[in-house]
Amino acid sequence: MAVVTLIILTNLLFLGLLWAESDSYGPSDIITVLDWPLFFAVGGVISLVVGVVVLVNWLNFSRGGSQVAAALGGTLVQPGTDKPLERRALNIVQELALAANMPVPSLFLLEHELGVNAFAAGTHHTNAVVAITRGALEALNRDELQGVVGHEFSHILNGDMRLSIRLAAMLRGITFIGDLGSILLRIGSHRHHFQSRKKDDGRAAMLALGLGLYLIGLLGGLMAGLIKSAISKQKEYLADASSVQFTRNPDGIGNALKIIGGHANGTFVESARAEEMSHLFFGQVRHRLWSGFATHPPIEQRIRRIDPRWDGKFLPANVDSGVMSSEAEKHADKNDMALRAGIAGFASADVATVLPRNANNTAEMASPAANAALLNETTDPLGAMALLLGMLWNPQHEEPQWQAIEVAGIKGLDDLVRRWCEPLRTQTPSENLIIIERSIPALRGLSPEQYRVFRNLLETWIDADGKTVLQEWCLFQLVCHYLDPELINSHAPRLRHKTLDAVSKDLAITLGALAHLTEEDTERAFRRGAEILSLTMTLPEADAIVMTAFTQSVDELAACYPLLKVTILKAMASVAADDGKISGSELTLIKAIAAVMDCPAPDNLLAAYGIGDGSLAEDLVDPPGSNGLK
Amino acid sequence: MDTTTIISLAVVALLLGWAVVIYNQLVALSNRYQNGFAQIEVQLKRRYDLIPNLVETTKGYLLHERETLEAVVNARNAAASALDALGGSINAEGIQTLSGAENALGAALGKFSVVMEAYPDLKASANVQQLNEELASTENRVAFARQGFNDAVMSYNTYRQSFPNLLIANRFGHTEDAQLLEFDDSEQIQEAPKISFT
């Protein structure tokens, strides 16, 4: 309907144009001047082209749900899967198929999408599919996921998919008129230099036509967008209500919406084609400046319609459900959750899981009494600052260091540092790592201003001798990457690199630095890492790895896409493990790099890499006199 | 043929077509609710098959909880035989027996879950976790199958009782309303016995 109107509008535009032209010849008799056959020919061609575009898109969209899901990057979840979370999702789909009394649709997983979202696709409920993002799989518990899937089932049952597919095809046809207009405009202005005066009139007509078409397309797009948004929003409310009807559990979808509202990635989906399919999804795919164009109502309104007594508080995602953690360990390479949780997530989840294990390690430390005192100090912000500074103490260049502490003027800090810096010198790298990790939660208690002073102090202490060594770099990165996002407004780097090839030079430097820490064959360790990455790289000389280049390289790696980072971490783990164990200094370096890369899950990764939890814990204690970080 | 004949023939044909459409719809709806009941049976059987697995897997840990395990197994067997006795037909008496057996099974499973709380090792077992998920899913399926059945019954009854469908239904074998599945204490049955490890 909308398309037909637009075609008529286009034809009217032609009429107007031709009339305007005839006007310049004389207004007497329009009919004779008008070239009717030409008019109909042009009108017909335009109608035909738009019709073909609509048809092609329609056919394209209605190929059945599985193709649509595949186009958006989904993979079929195999019915026999043994991964607990996928198993659970499959069960939920089967349950709801019973509740909705319809055939069981296939389930697709958008493995790379970290936002909490889901969609249904297909023209009919026999070829329908349901797809959920990895974010939804992991952030929602059973009941909540059930609510979300129930919402999608409503879309299937209500025929929303057919409607939206038609809508999408129509929309393409409408915007195509606009595209045509802009093409004409461009051609018209380009030929400016080549055309003779004689054809000037033709050029003007073409420009006018282009402009007219462009405006019609713009108007049509605008109207279509508004209509689509209005229809889509109503459908969403209906689907939310149907979800409650299927599950008889308003808390399921209600809590799911509340989690989405508080989720870092929200419901946003990265896939480029998601935009065309935005109305199929559970939640908004892209951010909209004006809600008039949004395909989904605001989360708050959706929650209020389901739970009118909602207190306005969002819920945290379920990161520590039992099923979740067991899968995270088993399939650490898919640990997107941890990747996504990033630094902020580390705060709540990872430290909690890291600490108990490290606490066990304390028993194995060389002098338990001294270490107990050190670890006790980490619980207090002042003590934690003192310990971290103490690690950076440099007897040869201590003058500027003590001066900086005086300037900073943190009361009692210098005494504490003086007290601990001697005992800290005897610590092994792995013991230092434990102290660093345990200090971070305490430092979280600092005010932003205090933290800034402390951060500056750290930098001054590191620069006291005019150079930065690897150990200092690790300490600084570990502290800053966990605390910066909370205490000072820092933002994550924009992700640029989609392939490992793009960062192969940086990988060589990073892996090289790790390989030089190995106790056996450096070359072999390096090659092992290169194999994991399936890149051919040459091992840089130890002298060639300078700190500035190394820092830059790690920053580049941080701009890789999340799944590449997992591979990179794996490669690093394999380099470090080449000599049969991961030493404290290797572990510190890996953890620091992981912190810069925003993926604080190396424990799981290392465990998954065949270095069992037990052996890792033993390796944490370096043999005395090991060279450690230079 | 004059116009009156043609018109009256057309009207008769139209009415006949209408009647056919109504009758077919009645058949479709009646088949749908019968299928709904079959679905409940399937899910109940699935549940009865899962329980022995759960008992088998946990037996090693729960050496001193013989009574609880036996109670679960007995309740399961009773429910399974009640379902068999029903034989796919929807009769009030059989459903009564089944609902009683189901209640007993639910209670036994509830006690079982309390017992399991005392064994933290069980919590870690991937096998038990998976069985737990399957059991939870099956409980949901039973509930949803019952929902689906009742919804199908309702739409069949509504369609059958409406006018003019009523005229057709009464003449062509759809004379009775289908029965909703109503258990005495449906509250308790809706509540799936939760085996939580928290």
Side-chain angles (χ1 to χ4, degrees):
Chain A
M1 181 61 198
V3 176
V4 175
T5 320
L6 275 171
I7 290 172
I8 293 171
L9 258 175
T10 316
N11 279 344
L12 280 175
L13 173 76
F14 267 92
L15 187 71
L17 264 180
L18 291 172
W19 190 25
E21 220 158 290
S22 71
D23 214 50
S24 60
Y25 290 103
S28 48
D29 43 358
I30 302 158
I31 310 297
T32 48
V33 179
L34 262 182
D35 191 351
W36 280 107
L38 178 77
F39 169 67
F40 278 118
V42 173
V45 165
I46 296 245
S47 315
L48 199 73
V49 169
V50 170
V52 166
V53 169
V54 171
L55 196 71
V56 165
N57 275 284
W58 192 342
L59 289 178
N60 203 13
F61 288 143
S62 50
R63 284 172 307 174
S66 47
Q67 277 97 333
V68 175
L72 287 169
T75 47
L76 182 70
V77 177
Q78 298 298 332
T81 179
D82 59 348
K83 296 171 190 164
L85 282 178
E86 292 182 11
R87 181 81 239 150
R88 188 174 77 179
L90 267 181
N91 275 339
I92 287 171
V93 170
Q94 285 167 10
E95 289 161 21
L96 281 164
L98 270 174
N101 207 356
M102 59 173 266
V104 182
S106 321
L107 175 68
F108 279 73
L109 181 63
L110 302 178
E111 187 72 61
H112 308 297
E113 302 291 352
L114 306 177
V116 179
N117 218 330
F119 71 87
T123 46
H124 192 254
H125 58 245
T126 48
N127 67 12
V129 302
V130 170
I132 57 176
T133 61
R134 170 132 307 252
L137 193 68
E138 288 178 352
L140 303 177
N141 73 17
R142 199 170 204 294
D143 286 350
E144 292 148 8
L145 190 60
Q146 202 177 43
V148 170
V149 175
H151 172 106
E152 298 311 325
F153 269 66
S154 158
H155 281 316
I156 298 176
L157 277 181
N158 292 328
D160 293 355
M161 294 177 302
R162 242 167 317 155
L163 179 84
S164 43
I165 281 164
R166 269 177 226 168
L167 220 59
M170 292 293 178
L171 222 66
R172 191 70 199 88
I174 290 166
T175 47
F176 180 76
I177 296 182
D179 291 349
L180 202 71
S182 67
I183 289 168
L184 280 180
L185 268 178
R186 223 171 303 144
I187 294 173
S189 50
H190 266 288
R191 290 217 178 141
H192 187 250
H193 306 289
F194 305 102
Q195 262 173 348
S196 60
R197 281 187 72 96
K198 217 164 89 187
K199 289 196 177 172
D200 224 34
D201 279 345
R203 194 176 60 80
M206 193 193 266
L207 272 175
L209 178 66
L211 192 69
L213 285 178
Y214 184 72
L215 288 177
I216 288 178
L218 211 65
L219 192 76
L222 207 71
M223 298 300 284
L226 284 175
I227 293 167
K228 173 179 156 187
S229 161
I231 294 177
S232 188
K233 277 179 190 162
Q234 287 311 311
K235 290 279 182 188
E236 293 307 321
Y237 284 132
L238 174 64
D240 284 348
S242 305
S243 169
V244 179
Q245 186 205 333
F246 292 145
T247 58
R248 316 271 149 119
N249 178 13
D251 288 344
I253 187 158
N255 289 346
L257 285 167
K258 286 173 202 168
I259 285 177
I260 287 169
H263 195 268
N265 290 51
T267 52
F268 295 150
V269 172
E270 312 253 321
S271 171
R273 294 204 56 194
E275 178 80 52
E276 295 167 37
M277 301 290 175
S278 56
H279 40 284
L280 299 178
F281 277 89
F282 177 75
Q284 197 69 36
V285 170
R286 298 268 197 277
H287 183 66
R288 283 279 180 281
L289 278 178
W290 182 47
S291 66
F293 284 117
T295 48
H296 292 69
I299 288 278
E300 290 81 4
Q301 278 181 30
R302 288 173 69 181
I303 297 175
R304 281 197 201 287
R305 287 217 181 176
I306 289 166
D307 180 6
R309 273 173 294 179
W310 179 46
D311 57 1
K313 288 196 190 91
F314 292 122
L315 297 173
N318 309 291
V319 276
D320 44 9
S321 71
V323 189
M324 164 68 212
S325 58
S326 73
E327 183 172 75
E329 269 160 31
K330 260 193 256 164
H331 311 283
D333 55 331
K334 296 209 171 130
N335 206 340
D336 290 340
M337 186 64 199
L339 291 180
R340 170 161 43 85
I343 299 152
F346 182 91
S348 52
D350 281 55
V351 166
T353 57
V354 164
L355 288 187
R357 255 196 42 207
N358 288 340
N360 296 337
N361 292 336
T362 59
E364 299 170 69
M365 281 186 170
S367 47
N371 284 309
L374 278 176
L375 288 174
N376 197 29
E377 204 66 56
T378 58
T379 53
D380 170 64
L382 192 67
M385 286 196 280
L387 289 178
L388 293 179
L389 287 173
M391 281 183 205
L392 298 170
W393 180 54
N394 188 334
Q396 277 93 51
H397 301 86
E398 61 175 341
E399 269 313 303
Q401 293 188 324
W402 296 122
Q403 268 172 20
I405 278 208
E406 268 173 47
V407 173
I410 302 175
K411 207 174 164 192
L413 183 62
D414 52 347
D415 290 341
L416 262 182
V417 179
R418 271 179 226 280
R419 188 172 145 208
W420 291 119
C421 58
E422 260 321 313
L424 278 168
R425 285 174 65 75
T426 58
Q427 296 266 317
T428 63
S430 32
E431 285 166 341
N432 276 343
L433 177 61
I434 292 167
I435 290 174
I436 295 171
E437 285 186 331
R438 299 194 86 179
S439 298
I440 289 170
L443 291 177
R444 217 161 257 137
L446 295 176
S447 75
E449 193 43 50
Q450 287 170 328
Y451 174 65
R452 212 161 303 174
V453 171
F454 173 63
R455 199 175 184 276
N456 288 338
L457 204 53
L458 274 183
E459 281 178 315
T460 330
W461 276 57
I462 289 170
D463 285 341
D465 53 359
K467 58 181 197 284
T468 309
V469 296
L470 207 49
Q471 196 179 14
E472 292 169 341
W473 180 85
C474 289
L475 186 147
F476 188 72
Q477 297 301 339
L478 278 170
V479 172
C480 292
H481 271 86
Y482 292 136
L483 294 176
D484 276 4
E486 287 181 41
L487 295 169
I488 50 182
N489 286 334
S490 72
H491 36 84
R494 202 171 56 82
L495 303 182
R496 296 189 298 271
H497 304 304
K498 289 183 179 160
T499 59
L500 289 172
D501 285 330
V503 287
S504 61
K505 224 175 66 199
D506 307 303
L507 281 169
I509 292 176
T510 320
L511 290 188
L514 251 176
H516 284 296
L517 289 175
T518 189
E519 279 166 33
E520 287 172 20
D521 191 346
T522 307
E523 183 65 40
R524 190 187 66 200
F526 184 76
R527 267 203 317 277
R528 189 172 286 198
E531 269 168 37
I532 298 248
L533 300 168
S534 8
L535 289 173
T536 45
M537 301 186 298
T538 45
L539 173 69
E541 289 298 312
D543 307 336
I545 304 174
V546 291
M547 209 55 223
T548 44
F550 177 76
T551 309
Q552 263 174 18
S553 297
V554 177
D555 284 343
E556 283 299 311
L557 295 188
C560 286
Y561 273 65
L563 283 160
L564 291 184
K565 290 180 182 173
V566 177
T567 322
I568 294 171
L569 280 179
K570 257 192 193 166
M572 293 201 300
S574 69
V575 171
D578 183 65
D579 52 7
K581 63 192 174 87
I582 294 186
S583 72
S585 33
E586 286 167 338
L587 190 68
T588 311
L589 184 56
I590 292 180
K591 286 207 168 190
I593 295 174
V596 178
M597 285 166 51
D598 284 358
C599 19
D603 270 2
N604 285 343
L605 259 160
L606 297 182
Y609 207 73
I611 307 148
D613 256 14
S615 66
L616 188 65
E618 282 165 30
D619 289 339
L620 273 172
V621 180
D622 270 11
S626 82
N627 49 347
L629 290 165
K630 286 171 276 183
Chain B
M1 265 202 288
D2 53 32
T3 25
T4 342
T5 332
I6 292 176
I7 289 175
S8 47
L9 272 179
V11 166
V12 167
L14 212 71
L15 282 175
L16 237 113
W18 193 14
V20 167
V21 167
I22 289 175
Y23 181 77
N24 285 348
Q25 185 66 24
L26 276 167
V27 171
L29 286 174
S30 127
N31 282 342
R32 188 180 294 169
Y33 84 73
Q34 278 166 23
N35 174 53
F37 190 76
Q39 286 287 2
I40 302 178
E41 280 191 330
V42 169
Q43 300 311 331
L44 285 176
K45 282 202 181 110
R46 189 185 138 94
R47 184 175 173 198
Y48 302 151
D49 290 345
L50 274 170
I51 290 168
N53 281 334
L54 186 69
V55 169
E56 198 59 39
T57 315
T58 53
K59 211 159 64 178
Y61 290 95
L62 305 178
L63 291 172
H64 307 292
E65 312 286 350
R66 265 183 74 99
E67 264 175 53
T68 319
L69 286 176
E70 271 173 14
V72 169
V73 171
N74 289 339
R76 178 254 168 206
N77 289 343
S81 57
L83 183 67
D84 279 344
L86 211 56
S89 66
I90 313 174
N91 64 71
E93 201 181 328
I95 285 174
Q96 202 66 42
T97 325
L98 179 63
S99 87
E102 276 284 307
N103 284 346
L105 179 56
L109 277 177
K111 203 170 164 204
F112 180 62
S113 75
V114 172
V115 165
M116 279 216 280
E117 297 277 330
Y119 295 81
D121 283 355
L122 270 179
K123 210 159 106 179
S125 161
N127 253 338
V128 173
Q129 275 192 7
Q130 198 184 337
L131 277 169
N132 179 43
E133 157 63 22
E134 292 301 319
L135 204 62
S137 175
T138 312
E139 299 300 343
N140 280 336
R141 287 175 204 211
V142 173
F144 287 147
R146 289 183 58 243
Q147 265 174 38
F149 171 74
N150 283 346
D151 289 351
V153 164
M154 191 195 69
S155 47
Y156 170 75
N157 288 350
T158 311
Y159 192 80
R160 201 193 71 81
Q161 292 162 6
S162 320
F163 182 84
N165 311 352
L166 186 65
L167 304 175
I168 310 274
N170 281 339
R171 272 182 188 70
F172 297 98
H174 290 272
T175 46
E176 270 178 45
D177 279 350
Q179 290 300 310
L180 289 169
L181 254 192
E182 284 174 66
F183 291 151
D184 291 341
D185 32 7
S186 53
E187 185 76 359
Q188 198 183 341
I189 292 175
Q190 289 252 323
E191 188 72 27
K194 286 223 169 67
I195 301 182
S196 72
F197 296 100
T198 45

